[in-house]
Amino acid sequence: MTAPPSASARYRDVFGVPEFRVLFALQTLQAGGDSIRIIALSVLTFEETGSSLMAAVVFGAGTLPYVVGGALLLSLADRVPSRRLLTAFHLLRFAVIAVFALDAVPLSVTILLLVVVGLFAPVGSAAVQGRLPALLPGDQYVLGRSLFTMTAACSQVAG
């Protein structure tokens, strides 16, 4: 006896899950915002200092800590409940952007804040990815992951 064929998952099914829609919207806003933020800060740094080296340092400060945070902090995604972790991460990001909006932040503080957010970024991403299998069963999970991958790639290209 064989199991009846199951219908393939569709993107409509994936977006029919309310919590997935929220996570997808947050990830999309985060990816797009991060791309714009790092480019804008690099350009502002170059305009202020006239130094392409400092602009590159600011750009690197937003991306290089991701590697260190992934190596040292990623286990937090397994030990802390995902909602609590994501809330804390997004509040940290909000606070850093609020500080940047003050427009009176010295370059050294800007670099430090970018490093702090970069350290915790992989933890936030892991919490989202860890939540997907519980939200999206079977083929829906594959489609959900592909949506996150496409969004990240598009935001990097657009940035």
Side-chain angles (χ1 to χ4, degrees), residues 9-137:
R10 297 172 299 182
Y11 286 109
R12 180 183 352 175
D13 301 330
V14 172
F15 282 111
V17 178
E19 190 174 345
F20 175 80
R21 287 194 308 261
V22 171
L23 285 176
F24 182 75
L26 281 173
Q27 284 294 106
T28 302
L29 289 172
Q30 176 185 339
D34 285 349
S35 295
I36 292 168
R37 179 197 70 210
I38 200 65
I39 291 170
L41 286 173
S42 297
V43 169
L44 286 172
T45 300
F46 181 76
E47 285 180 356
E48 278 187 23
T49 64
S51 169
S52 56
L53 175 63
M54 289 310 296
V57 167
V58 167
F59 188 86
T63 55
L64 287 178
Y66 196 93
V67 174
V68 176
L72 301 177
L73 301 174
L74 212 49
S75 65
L76 287 173
D78 295 326
R79 293 186 284 155
V80 178
S82 60
R83 286 184 185 200
R84 185 178 304 156
L85 189 63
L86 286 171
T87 301
F89 175 61
H90 286 296
L91 286 174
L92 170 68
R93 293 181 72 249
F94 175 76
V96 167
I97 297 303
V99 169
F100 288 158
L102 295 175
D103 197 31
V105 181
L107 186 57
S108 59
V109 174
T110 298
I111 292 170
L112 177 67
L113 290 173
L114 286 173
V115 167
V116 169
V117 169
L119 285 172
F120 288 97
V123 178
S125 295
V128 169
Q129 294 300 325
R131 190 82 186 108
L132 283 182
L135 296 176
L136 305 172

